[in-house]
Amino acid sequence: MSDLLDLPTPTTDSTGFDASAFDLALHAQRQRSAAGDYRTSTEALEQLLLTCPATELHRRAVALTLLAQHYPRIGRLTASARCATTALGLAEKLGHDGLIADALTAQSFVFAQLMMAREALEAGMRALAAARRAGDPVRESWAMNRVGVAYASLENPEQACATTEQALEIAARAGATDALFACHNNLAHFWLERIHDATALRQSEVMAEAIPRARQTAERAYALARQSGSAHRVTVALSNLVNALLAGGQLDEALPLINEFGDLAHNHGYPTLALEADLQRAVYLRLQGEPLQATRMLSALLEADTDPPPRLRRLLVRSLYETHKAGGEFAEALRWLEELLRLDLQMRRDSLLLQTEVILIREQVEQAQARADSAAADAQRERARALHLEHEQLRLREHAMALDRAAHEDVLTGLHNRRHAEYALPLLVEGARMAGEVISVAALDVDHFKRINDSHGHAVGDAVLQQLAQLLRHRLRSADLLARIGGEEFMAVLVGIAPPQAAEICERLRLAVAEHDWAAVHRGLSVSISVGIAGGAPPQQADALLQRADQALYAAKRCGRNRVQVD
């Protein structure tokens, strides 16, 4: 909780303050951090900030923003949030759009690390708007980059890649080499995330695109890191490049880079990266068909005196699970899978605690700023300014929420869309299996929907789908997954409901649809639905359950429609 303490108290008297010396010292710490020495640079910045008078709003905002950027590198996330929030308040007081963009960019990044995804997206969007107002393409590329990171924290790597590609184009036009490296490096990471998701979902087409893209962007980041002369950047870029090669099965190319990665990380004192290099070596051994050696290495890393950070501990445990599974040691694999689930639960709890601290920090900083503002003579101007900022924040929040809805919501009916259903169904099946519950999937289809469109027009067809969605929503539990997965096709997932009970529920749904006053929509209109149900004990593959439900639906149609058929 030490990060909740107040920031160092600045001097109030500017007499004797050497602004030029301060600026030179600030520049020196920028260079030190660029070389990867974040801890030493952070300690020096903290001492430097003590010498900066309270009247030097601009310089204090710059130093606080630098600290906000450095703290996540050494694991002090709440300290980063405090500095970014304080820097933002100073920048807004100055009305300096460039500083506002910098502070919001730092804030967006730390919010993403704290798993405050929507807040990260909101801060990133505000940073982007401020950078554009300032007419600064370098700041714009950094803000767009952080928006990409926010999308990644929203578990939307596809949008993260697209946004970061835009940031990369802006950075390239501006000749911003630092931003260009960050964009390529983040892109490589996001493509690796897409590989991981595609592997889990068995999406071969996505894999075919993601593997070469991950390697291509990682190689570009590696080349830029080499040109920069920064050992830290080279080490970070190597991490992504090795992962891309391992994902593509290019083991012979990966081995020398693993050696280089490990040597750099160990020799330059980057403990987290050194641990990651050792982890990659274990993955390499597993892929080489040596699971026993891989298991020994992973176990040794977990049992070492140095306690790895939660993210890397999770990767180690997951690798142990995958290695035992690949070696046919299923009992051990299950033990590590259970440990992985426990770690995920603990990380979620820790994240909630950190988020609570950040909320307290924001409240404390806002209160301090409010007290400072109340002492200012021009209170009316500050109130008008605050009103404008609130309006801008609301607009950006609404925009962020609209983006989030667009990714998961069907526009016509307001139900979940196919994309959300494909993501959620495996999770529900896995959750039911872990809890020892039954599960049922219902595939619903409007009978003769094409005839409705042809006879009455597409506007009537749309109204039918909208009212049908309302009928379904009002007769299913809020916990049930309900989605529109095609033109007139819907899907419902009922956890804890066996197929016989699901059939009773769907029969009531069918009757409700048949008895609905469709003539109010269009004279002479009648609507019915066919339903196919499959379920029972959760299968290993969620797709199998949906396929069985579809087969039952086809059987219901073959038997005359307007009926419920259980697989």
Side-chain angles (χ1 to χ4, degrees):
M1 295 291 289
S2 61
D3 288 341
L4 282 173
L5 298 175
D6 289 336
L7 291 167
T9 304
T11 58
T12 56
D13 186 4
S14 60
T15 305
F17 174 66
D18 190 336
S20 297
F22 181 90
D23 294 342
L24 285 172
L26 207 60
H27 178 69
Q29 298 317 313
R30 286 183 190 273
Q31 292 182 316
R32 177 176 281 175
S33 63
D37 192 358
Y38 289 104
R39 190 170 298 279
T40 305
S41 175
T42 298
E43 291 171 356
L45 280 170
E46 289 173 340
Q47 294 302 313
L48 192 60
L49 193 60
L50 283 170
T51 70
C52 189
T55 53
E56 291 287 338
L57 301 186
H58 188 283
R59 287 182 171 86
R60 289 189 63 78
V62 171
L64 285 165
T65 299
L66 277 176
L67 279 170
Q69 294 167 355
H70 291 2
Y71 278 136
R73 315 289 184 183
I74 59 175
R76 295 180 62 186
L77 296 180
T78 52
S80 174
R82 175 178 287 281
C83 286
T85 305
T86 306
L88 177 59
L90 295 175
E92 289 175 339
K93 187 174 290 186
L94 290 166
H96 192 298
D97 283 327
L99 292 179
I100 291 171
D102 292 343
L104 283 167
T105 299
Q107 192 179 65
S108 176
F109 182 75
V110 70
F111 282 165
Q113 304 311 302
L114 287 163
M115 300 174 67
M116 299 169 65
R118 293 190 179 183
E119 290 86 348
L121 182 59
E122 177 191 338
M125 290 291 191
R126 291 179 63 195
L128 188 60
R132 287 171 174 168
R133 289 196 303 270
D136 190 325
V138 176
R139 284 184 165 110
E140 183 180 354
S141 68
W142 276 111
M144 185 76 77
N145 181 300
R146 295 319 187 200
V147 170
V149 174
Y151 277 122
S153 67
L154 280 165
E155 298 183 1
N156 190 347
E158 183 177 356
Q159 186 62 47
C161 287
T163 303
T164 311
E165 289 279 6
Q166 295 179 49
L168 192 151
E169 292 175 5
I170 297 168
R173 287 197 300 269
T177 55
D178 289 353
L180 202 59
F181 166 76
C183 288
H184 279 301
N185 202 54
N186 283 359
L187 263 179
H189 178 72
F190 298 153
W191 281 112
L192 287 168
E193 287 295 309
R194 293 188 69 178
I195 291 172
H196 179 265
D197 292 349
T199 301
L201 298 174
R202 299 185 178 182
Q203 297 173 326
S204 57
E205 291 184 2
V206 176
M207 289 281 288
E209 178 189 12
I211 289 175
R213 293 295 295 274
R215 174 172 180 170
Q216 180 186 48
T217 50
E219 286 175 339
R220 288 176 180 170
Y222 181 56
L224 287 169
R226 283 287 187 197
Q227 293 171 13
S228 73
S230 166
H232 185 263
R233 285 188 185 178
V234 172
T235 311
V236 170
L238 274 171
S239 170
N240 284 330
L241 182 53
V242 170
N243 281 328
L245 292 171
L246 292 175
Q250 293 146 327
L251 305 186
D252 291 341
E253 295 181 63
L255 182 57
L257 294 180
I258 291 173
N259 293 332
E260 181 185 1
F261 178 29
D263 290 344
L264 280 170
H266 285 285
N267 294 338
H268 286 84
Y270 307 143
T272 301
L273 291 170
L275 182 58
E276 190 170 341
D278 293 337
L279 170 61
Q280 288 178 340
R281 190 176 297 279
V283 173
Y284 168 82
L285 289 171
R286 171 170 62 81
L287 295 175
Q288 279 284 71
E290 300 180 38
L292 184 59
Q293 286 184 262
T295 300
R296 287 173 179 168
M297 175 174 271
L298 291 167
S299 298
L301 291 173
L302 271 178
E303 294 166 4
D305 292 337
T306 303
D307 189 33
R311 181 185 67 85
L312 273 182
R313 173 173 284 277
R314 187 185 185 281
L315 287 176
L316 286 169
V317 171
R318 190 178 76 187
S319 293
L320 275 166
Y321 157 67
E322 291 171 347
T323 303
H324 283 295
K325 182 180 177 183
E329 298 172 326
F330 299 116
E332 280 296 299
L334 178 60
R335 182 170 75 86
W336 287 110
L337 179 60
E338 290 172 346
E339 175 65 11
L340 186 62
L341 292 173
R342 188 195 68 76
L343 274 178
D344 284 342
L345 178 60
Q346 185 61 50
M347 288 174 68
R348 283 196 295 272
R349 288 175 176 170
D350 292 344
S351 177
L352 287 173
L353 288 173
L354 286 174
Q355 290 174 22
T356 302
E357 290 184 16
V358 169
I359 292 171
L360 290 174
I361 285 169
R362 293 174 73 178
E363 290 179 354
Q364 290 171 5
V365 171
E366 288 169 3
Q367 289 171 6
Q369 291 171 352
R371 287 193 296 269
D373 288 344
S374 66
D378 198 358
Q380 182 61 39
R381 181 179 63 84
E382 290 299 321
R383 282 195 295 270
R385 179 179 175 78
L387 183 62
H388 169 74
L389 290 173
E390 286 177 12
H391 175 74
E392 182 72 1
Q393 184 182 34
L394 177 61
R395 186 183 67 81
L396 289 166
R397 185 182 294 112
E398 290 173 348
H399 180 56
M401 292 174 64
L403 290 173
D404 187 49
R405 285 196 303 272
H408 301 282
E409 185 178 292
D410 175 54
V411 176
L412 178 64
T413 63
L415 302 179
H416 292 304
N417 59 18
R418 186 183 191 92
R419 177 179 179 181
H420 180 86
E422 289 174 345
Y423 168 79
L425 179 58
L427 298 180
L428 292 173
V429 171
E430 179 65 17
R433 181 163 54 250
M434 295 297 294
E437 295 183 311
V438 295
I439 190 170
S440 293
V441 171
L444 301 88
D445 191 279
V446 179
D447 296 330
H448 301 300
F449 185 72
K450 184 177 183 301
R451 187 182 301 170
I452 294 173
N453 277 336
D454 292 343
S455 301
H456 305 293
H458 288 279
V460 172
D462 288 348
V464 167
L465 294 177
Q466 289 170 333
Q467 293 203 18
L468 176 58
Q470 292 297 321
L471 289 170
L472 297 176
R473 184 186 286 115
H474 291 157
R475 285 165 177 78
L476 291 176
R477 301 172 301 180
S478 60
D480 296 330
L481 172 64
L482 180 60
R484 181 189 177 199
I485 59 174
E488 70 273 21
E489 300 172 13
F490 297 80
M491 179 181 78
V493 182
L494 314 174
V495 178
I497 302 294
Q501 289 73 42
E504 295 176 4
I505 293 169
C506 290
E507 178 61 18
R508 291 195 293 271
L509 286 175
R510 185 194 68 79
L511 288 172
V513 172
E515 295 169 1
H516 185 66
D517 183 14
W518 296 106
V521 176
H522 195 277
R523 180 180 298 177
L525 177 66
S526 63
V527 178
S528 65
I529 61 171
S530 297
V531 185
I533 297 171
Q540 288 295 325
Q541 298 297 327
D543 288 343
L545 197 58
L546 185 56
Q547 289 172 3
R548 287 170 49 205
D550 282 336
Q551 291 169 359
L553 174 61
Y554 297 145
K557 288 184 173 295
R558 286 195 301 271
C559 293
R561 294 182 170 83
N562 192 21
R563 59 180 292 143
V564 176
Q565 180 75 35
V566 179
D567 172 63

